[in-house]
């Protein structure tokens, strides 16, 4: 590595860093004893920081658990109250002698008035901003007090809405820069909270601090990478300062105020950062230390990933492409939409974020979309994405509504964007910034103009405000903040609504003809766009998740109804279930079949998208996770349990996929290879009856080139003329020197299959490994043991096939179920 100093310039940023704040001269105020009270009362209760008013009320037994039974309705009063949080802390003589003491708040939710020793120092109005206040003059040696008065976000939002002569879609929430999903969604409860939801600390410094660190990857080749680093230094005293950059030291003369310094690194034989499935997500560690006369003043530690990323939109005969290139290679994006993992985001631990990302990686994903109606995720989420090769489609926090366009709101958003882009731009996982979720579509397709009876003048004002926010304020703020002038910005997802035919020819697409439009699952095979960034179907969560909030398993139970937020959710599930399955009468089997239904529908969608490669180059289903125990579109429930859907995602997102579909009375077998190496192996195709008799077979040696989708073979419909389609399965297997890929195809819907009672035998190979076999087809085998995760589940087991399955922990009792078991009731 070599270092040289050059004139200060800002070049294109093509790889990313991760900040770690120096702990030197930091007082974490979360470690103090905090108390809260209703602003109307005098009684104080103990608080936990980080936290929310709801979690603190719950901890003090002042409200019932909002997640249990129908308790959500019983806590709605909380959102209309004002709340005060306060703490006492002590300042030593040494601490008070610092020339600068900053109060840093990383998560004030939302309308807050801050007092230090009884004096008002500032007000806040944005959950998503980092707030920093100089408080040296307000503090004293010894005992000090901080009090934070949180005003009701609901009342403030309604007050702001009254200033307009017309009503904007989205009600009072749109005026408040806080998590929109807290106001209720069709998968989440209404729990509009407040509080100190992240870090609050005092930072002490004297002469100088490192305010910011940016860099420009000027060149990335196989043999070397050249990077220019740019540091912003805030200096109170001019003088000579020392900088330690890994093993290198340099000296700079700094003037009072803001200083920019830069230097250049050359990294030889760099290891590139790759997304999951293409290579290793290689990271490099760096550290910058600022000191003078042997005293360390500030430092930042960071990790970087070297990679290039492009969004390619090129006109073609049909429309326009929409795909990402990583390090020059076109990549089919496989992933999901991520929502906040709790209604009370302050209680989500680093391990939960890591688990969410690991679940995505285990399911062979390479991209997650952070949806715009929630919150910008925690640093630990992006760190986990960096380390596991998961790219992030990052929405800004706007969704499904129209927003105001007054100067104060726009300025607030601009500062929010600057804060978040500064925080997140340094991660190699960040692939794209997106202005909002479904607002462009909503304005043009959802009938808001008629619903709210706007005049033409009002329509023009509202749309002009939209364009100013998402086509000027946000993209300009990004350009001003990042060093990378090629940062990818996409104003709205989707670019065109799913009711328009153009939505399948260009841009990204949200297809909701299935579910919302009640169209059959098979329509997914026809409605394939260039990049499918949203689509989905609901499935019920694990039985243990339902029993976590109620002990009465009945459709008449109001708690079961409360934990389904779509107005006709259960009716829609049942309607689709009647199309494809025998509908079980008992609750447990109904839950199981609802998961199979969800997995079946999503398999049809995902594999249709992948078969359309390279016309289609991305599939991100709705949704990965939940914010509370609920029946929803998620593939993993609130407690992280994998639904049948998530196991199917793992299979359908394999880098090497075999997929069968019927086209023009023929059965076409596709081979899709997303890897950067050619795959060769022996392909075995068999038509098997449910007892294991081979009725027809074919073998051939095939080659699927790197990053290729090809038709392997085509079978004529005449193959089935002499067999009962209700009693046979088409088994397709490909064995390479490294892997065995299988796909089973049925010629009729599950409810028409003539299943026999299987005899399923489980043998233990060791404490955490089992072998499972069956004498006849066992459709959708479900294995369960309390607290145990099975590496494979909800799978088809062919007669005399041996399946080896690993368990997360030893267990004595394994319950096994198959689709046949649901036919008895």
């Amino acid at each position: 590595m070599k270092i040289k100093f050059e004139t200060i310039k800002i070049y294109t940023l093509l790889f990313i860093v991760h900040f770690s704040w120096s702990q030197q001269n930091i007082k974490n105020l979360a470690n103090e004893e905090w108390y809260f009270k209703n602003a109307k009362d005098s009684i104080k209760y103990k608080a936990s920081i980080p936290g929310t008013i709801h979690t603190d009320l719950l901890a003090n037994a002042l409200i019932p658990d909002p997640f249990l039974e129908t308790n959500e309705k019983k806590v709605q009063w909380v959102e209309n109250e004002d709340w005060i949080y306060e703490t006492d802390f002590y300042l030593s003589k040494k601490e008070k002698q610092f020339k600068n003491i900053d109060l840093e708040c990383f998560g004030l939710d939302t309308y807050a008035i801050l007092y230090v020793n009884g004096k008002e120092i500032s007000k806040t109005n944005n959950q998503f901003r980092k707030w920093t206040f100089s408080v040296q003059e307000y503090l004293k040696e010894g005992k000090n007090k901080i009090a934070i008065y949180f005003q009701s976000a609901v009342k403030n939002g309604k007050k702001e809405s009254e200033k307009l002569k017309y009503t904007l879609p989205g009600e009072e929430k749109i005026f408040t820069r806080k998590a929109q999903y807290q106001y209720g969604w069709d998968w989440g409860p209404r729990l509009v909270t407040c509080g100190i939801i992240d870090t609050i600390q005092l930072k002490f410094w004297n002469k100088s601090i490192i305010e910011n660190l940016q860099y420009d990857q000027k060149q990335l080749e196989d043999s070397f990478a050249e990077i220019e680093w740019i540091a912003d230094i805030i200096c109170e005293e001019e003088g000579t300062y020392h900088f330690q950059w890994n093993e290198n030291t340099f000296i700079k003369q700094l003037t009072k105020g803001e200083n920019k310094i830069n230097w250049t690194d050359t990294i030889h034989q760099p290891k590139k950062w790759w997304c999951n499935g293409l290579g290793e997500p290689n990271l490099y560690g760096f550290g910058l230390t600022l000191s003078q006369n042997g005293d360390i003043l500030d430092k930042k530690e960071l990790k970087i990933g070297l990679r290039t990323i492009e969004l390619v939109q090129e006109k073609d005969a049909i429309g326009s492409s929409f795909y990402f290139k990583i390090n020059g290679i076109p990549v089919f994006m496989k992933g999901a939409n991520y929502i906040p993992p709790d209604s009370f985001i302050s209680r989500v631990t680093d391990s939960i974020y890591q688990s969410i990302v690991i679940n995505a990686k285990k399911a062979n994903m390479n991209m997650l979309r952070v949806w715009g109606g929630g919150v910008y995720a925690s640093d630990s989420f992006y760190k986990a994405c960096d380390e596991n090769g998961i790219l992030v489609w990052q929405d800004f926090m706007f969704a499904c509504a129209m927003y105001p366009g007054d100067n104060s709101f726009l300025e607030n958003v601009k500062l929010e964007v600057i804060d978040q882009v500064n925080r997140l731009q340094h991660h190699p996982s960040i692939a794209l910034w997106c202005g909002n979720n479904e607002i462009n579509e909503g304005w043009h397709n959802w009938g808001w103009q008629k619903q709210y009876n706007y005049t033409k003048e009002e329509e023009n004002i509202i749309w002009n405000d939209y364009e100013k926010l998402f086509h000027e304020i946000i993209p300009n703020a990004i350009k001003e903040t990042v060093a990378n002038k090629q940062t990818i910005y996409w104003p709205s997802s989707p670019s065109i609504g799913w009711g328009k035919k153009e939505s399948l020819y260009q841009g990204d697409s949200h297809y909701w003809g299935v579910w919302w439009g009640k169209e059959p699952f098979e329509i997914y095979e026809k409605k394939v766009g260039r990049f499918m960034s949203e689509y989905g179907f609901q499935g019920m969560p694990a039985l243990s998740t339902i029993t976590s909030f109620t002990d009465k398993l009945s459709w008449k139970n109001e708690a079961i109804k409360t934990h389904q937020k779509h107005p006709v959710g259960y009716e829609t599930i049942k309607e689709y279930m009647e199309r494809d399955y025998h509908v079980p009468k008992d609750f447990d089997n109904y839950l199981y079949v609802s998961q199979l239904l969800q997995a079946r529908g999503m398999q049809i969608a995902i594999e249709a998208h992948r078969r359309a490669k390279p016309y289609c180059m991305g599939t991100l289903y709705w949704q990965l996770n939940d914010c509370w125990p609920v029946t929803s579109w998620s593939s993993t429930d609130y407690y992280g349990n994998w639904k049948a859907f998530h196991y199917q995602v793992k299979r359908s997102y394999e880098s090497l996929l075999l997929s069968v579909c019927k086209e023009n009375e023929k059965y076409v077998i596709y081979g899709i290879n997303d890897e950067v190496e050619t795959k060769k192996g022996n392909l075995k195709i068999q038509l098997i009856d449910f007892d294991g008799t081979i009725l027809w077979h074919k073998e051939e040696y095939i080659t699927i080139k790197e990053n290729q989708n090809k038709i392997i073979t085509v079978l004529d419909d005449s193959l089935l003329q002499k067999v009962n389609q209700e009693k046979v399965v088409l088994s397709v297997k490909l064995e390479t020197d490294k892997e065995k890929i299988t796909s089973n195809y049925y010629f009729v819907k599950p409810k028409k299959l003539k299943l026999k009672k299987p005899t399923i035998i489980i043998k233990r190979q060791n404490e955490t490994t089992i072998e499972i076999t069956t004498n006849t087809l066992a459709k959708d085998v479900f294995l369960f043991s309390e607290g145990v995760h099975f590496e494979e589940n909800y799978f088809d087991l062919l007669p005399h096939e041996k399946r080896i399955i690993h368990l997360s922990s030893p267990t004595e009792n394994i319950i096994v179920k198959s689709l046949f078991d649901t036919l008895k009731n």
Side-chain angles (χ1 to χ4, degrees), residues 14 16 70 104 140 175 200 224 234 240 328 354 376 381 404 461 496 511 515 533 574 613 720 745 765 783 804:
L14 290 177
I16 317 297
T70 59
E104 296 182 331
K140 58 187 178 182
F175 298 91
I200 181 168
F224 76 98
I234 303 299
T240 301
Q354 291 163 3
Y376 305 95
F381 170 83
I461 292 172
I496 304 173
Y511 189 74
W515 185 266
S533 52
K574 186 177 180 182
K613 175 183 176 178
L720 301 174
Y745 180 82
Q765 293 193 340
L783 304 172
I804 305 299

Side-chain angles (χ1 to χ4, degrees), residues 405-430:
D406 58 276
N407 290 336
S408 61
F409 183 86
L410 296 177
E411 180 64 19
N412 197 1
V413 170
K414 177 181 178 180
L415 295 173
E416 169 191 325
V417 171
I418 290 171
D419 280 353
Q420 292 297 335
V421 171
N422 262 329
R423 180 174 74 96
L424 301 179
Q425 66 170 301
H426 316 288
H427 292 275
S429 53
I430 294 291

Side-chain angles (χ1 to χ4, degrees), residues 24-277:
Q24 185 177 6
N25 300 330
I26 294 290
K27 180 186 286 290
N28 185 356
L29 294 177
N31 295 331
E32 308 296 331
E33 287 191 358
W34 284 83
Y35 295 88
F36 77 97
K37 65 178 181 178
N38 191 310
K40 297 186 296 190
D41 300 330
S42 59
I43 303 175
K44 298 179 182 179
Y45 302 91
K46 196 164 186 179
S48 296
I49 306 299
T52 71
I53 187 57
H54 287 82
T55 53
D56 286 329
L57 288 167
L58 179 60
N60 286 275
L62 297 173
I63 59 170
D65 190 334
F67 285 8
L68 299 184
E69 299 293 343
T70 59
N71 290 343
E72 176 199 353
K73 302 174 184 177
K74 299 177 181 179
V75 301
Q76 295 303 307
W77 62 272
V78 176
E79 68 180 38
N80 293 309
E81 301 294 317
D82 295 347
W83 302 91
I84 298 174
Y85 279 74
E86 59 184 43
T87 188
D88 294 333
F89 64 94
Y90 286 83
L91 214 60
S92 68
K93 181 177 181 180
K94 181 180 179 181
E95 289 171 329
K96 176 56 181 169
Q97 288 175 344
F98 277 90
K99 293 183 178 179
N100 299 281
I101 306 176
D102 292 338
L103 176 62
E104 296 182 331
C105 307
F106 294 83
L108 293 181
D109 180 15
T110 293
Y111 294 103
I113 308 173
L114 287 84
Y115 299 88
V116 175
N117 291 327
K119 296 181 179 180
E120 180 181 328
I121 63 167
S122 193
K123 296 179 180 178
T124 73
N125 61 353
N126 191 323
Q127 172 188 337
F128 306 125
R129 285 173 57 185
K130 173 189 171 184
W131 297 90
T132 302
F133 311 104
S134 178
V135 294
Q136 208 277 352
E137 63 179 295
Y138 302 103
L139 297 175
K140 58 187 178 182
E141 183 181 337
K143 185 178 179 180
N144 292 266
K145 178 184 287 291
I146 288 181
I148 305 178
Y149 188 114
F150 288 99
Q151 297 175 323
S152 165
V154 170
K155 286 185 176 179
N156 268 343
K158 289 178 178 178
K159 189 184 302 182
E160 288 298 312
S161 69
E162 292 171 358
K163 296 178 181 179
L164 292 179
K165 296 179 180 179
Y166 47 84
T167 301
L168 288 173
E171 290 77 44
E172 75 274 8
K173 68 176 179 286
I174 61 170
F175 298 91
T176 300
R177 293 310 299 144
K178 72 180 269 95
Q180 307 283 275
Y181 80 108
Q182 291 182 355
Y183 293 80
W185 224 267
D186 55 7
W187 39 258
R190 183 179 175 105
L191 294 167
V192 187
T193 193
C194 69
I196 307 168
I197 61 174
D198 206 332
T199 306
I200 181 168
Q201 63 190 25
L202 291 174
K203 182 171 184 177
F204 305 88
W205 59 283
N206 279 324
K207 299 178 180 179
S208 191
I209 57 171
I210 305 169
E211 179 70 9
N212 196 18
L213 185 64
Q214 286 187 316
Y215 56 93
D216 163 27
Q217 181 185 287
K218 296 170 69 175
Q219 198 166 357
L220 176 59
E221 307 291 344
D222 291 338
S223 58
F224 76 98
E226 187 172 347
I227 310 105
E228 182 180 46
W229 299 91
I230 305 153
D232 292 328
I233 311 296
I234 303 299
C235 195
E236 282 287 311
E237 295 181 12
E238 66 176 41
T240 301
Y241 290 83
H242 295 258
F243 293 85
Q244 182 77 31
W245 181 248
N246 282 12
E247 70 274 15
N248 300 288
T249 301
F250 55 92
I251 298 172
K252 290 295 263 183
Q253 186 73 25
L254 301 180
T255 60
K256 187 174 181 178
E258 183 177 344
N259 296 258
K260 281 186 180 292
I261 65 170
N262 67 327
W263 61 100
T264 302
D265 281 350
T266 299
I267 300 175
H268 297 286
Q269 303 300 319
K271 295 181 178 180
K272 296 178 182 179
W273 186 94
W274 292 96
C275 63
N276 186 34

Side-chain angles (χ1 to χ4, degrees), residues 432-475:
L432 172 145
W433 304 96
C434 181
N436 68 73
N437 173 76
E438 294 185 347
I439 300 181
N440 185 301
E441 174 179 3
W443 181 254
H444 290 102
N445 294 340
W446 294 357
W448 284 334
Q449 294 87 341
K450 184 176 179 180
Q451 178 184 350
Y452 292 97
N453 196 27
Y454 295 132
T455 65
K456 284 296 180 182
E457 181 183 4
E458 290 169 342
E459 288 183 19
N460 290 334
I461 292 172
I462 295 169
W463 183 246
N464 287 339
D465 287 344
Y466 170 90
E467 290 197 315
K468 189 168 186 179
L469 178 56
F470 297 109
H471 290 270
E472 295 179 30
I473 297 296
I474 292 178

Side-chain angles (χ1 to χ4, degrees), residues 354-372:
Q354 291 163 3
S355 177
I356 289 170
V357 175
I358 291 298
N359 280 339
K361 182 179 182 181
K362 286 182 177 178
N364 299 306
M365 298 184 193
N366 56 19
M367 177 175 274
L368 292 176
R369 175 183 176 226
V370 178
W371 171 73

